[in-house]
C-alpha cells in the first residue's frame, strides 16, 4: 500500500521576542485542537502543498517556508499509513485569533475553524500526532 502524503504546517510568528505557533479548535469536539495540514496532490511538491494547504485552511497569505523540519511514516487511527512532511513557516502579520471556513472542500466543507496562537508545547493538548515535532519549534 502506498502511503498517503500529508503536509503539516507549524505556522509561526514572533511576538515580543517569543515564538508562537498557530493552532485551531475543530468544531467537532472529538477532532480536538490541531495544526493546519492537508493531503499532497499527486505530482505536487510537498513544500508547494504545505503553502497551498495553509492558505486553504487558515486564509493566511504571505507565508514563508523556513524549512522542512521532519518527515516520517505514521499510522493513522483508521489504519492508513501517512507519509507526513512537517514544515516551519513564518508570517509577520496575522490576527491574534479568527474564524475561518476551509476552502479546500471535501470533509471540511461547511465547517468553521477557530484559529489562535500558542506560546509553549504544553499550552494546549493537540490531537494525536500534531505535536510530534513541536519540540523543534519551542526549544
Amino acid at each position: 500500500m502506498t502511503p498517503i502524503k500529508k503536509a503539516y504546517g507549524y505556522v509561526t510568528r514572533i511576538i515580543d521576542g517569543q515564538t508562537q505557533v498557530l493552532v485551531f479548535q475543530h468544531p467537532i469536539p472529538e477532532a480536538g485542537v490541531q495544526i493546519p495540514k492537508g493531503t499532497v496532490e499527486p505530482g505536487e511538491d510537498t513544500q508547494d502543498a504545505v503553502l497551498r494547504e495553509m492558505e486553504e485552511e487558515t486564509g493566511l497569505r504571505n507565508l514563508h517556508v523556513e524549512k522542512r523540519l521532519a518527515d516520517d511514516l505514521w499510522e493513522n487511527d483508521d489504519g492508513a499509513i501517512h507519509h507526513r512532511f512537517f514544515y516551519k513557516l513564518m508570517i509577520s502579520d496575522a490576527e491574534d485569533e479568527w474564524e475561518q471556513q476551509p476552502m479546500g472542500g471535501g470533509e471540511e466543507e461547511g465547517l468553521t475553524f477557530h484559529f489562535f496562537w500558542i506560546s509553549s508545547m504544553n499550552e494546549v493538548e493537540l490531537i494525536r500526532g500534531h505535536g510530534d515535532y513541536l519540540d523543534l519549534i519551542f526549544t
Side-chain angles (χ1 to χ4, degrees), residues 42-93:
E44 186 178 29
D45 178 79
T46 59
Q47 182 169 314
D48 293 338
V50 80
L51 285 168
R52 175 184 54 76
E53 285 292 343
M54 296 307 101
E55 186 173 327
E56 286 178 2
E57 285 204 356
T58 70
L60 295 174
R61 291 172 175 67
N62 301 321
L63 289 163
H64 168 73
V65 174
E66 257 194 27
K67 62 183 169 182
R68 187 165 90 192
L69 295 170
D71 70 283
D72 64 17
L73 292 175
W74 189 77
E75 185 174 346
N76 197 36
D77 292 337
D78 64 4
I81 302 300
H82 290 181
H83 188 179
R84 304 185 307 166
F85 297 86
F86 284 81
Y87 284 89
K88 179 181 180 187
L89 300 97
M90 285 288 296
I91 192 160
S92 57
D93 185 27

Side-chain angles (χ1 to χ4, degrees), residues 87-118:
Y87 284 89
K88 179 181 180 187
L89 300 97
M90 285 288 296
I91 192 160
S92 57
D93 185 27
E95 298 292 324
D96 289 335
E97 56 184 279
W98 68 96
E99 306 281 321
Q100 178 74 26
Q101 290 186 333
M103 298 176 283
E107 62 188 36
E108 296 172 341
E109 184 87 30
L111 298 178
T112 300
F113 296 161
H114 177 76
F115 285 91
F116 60 100
W117 301 88
I118 60 171

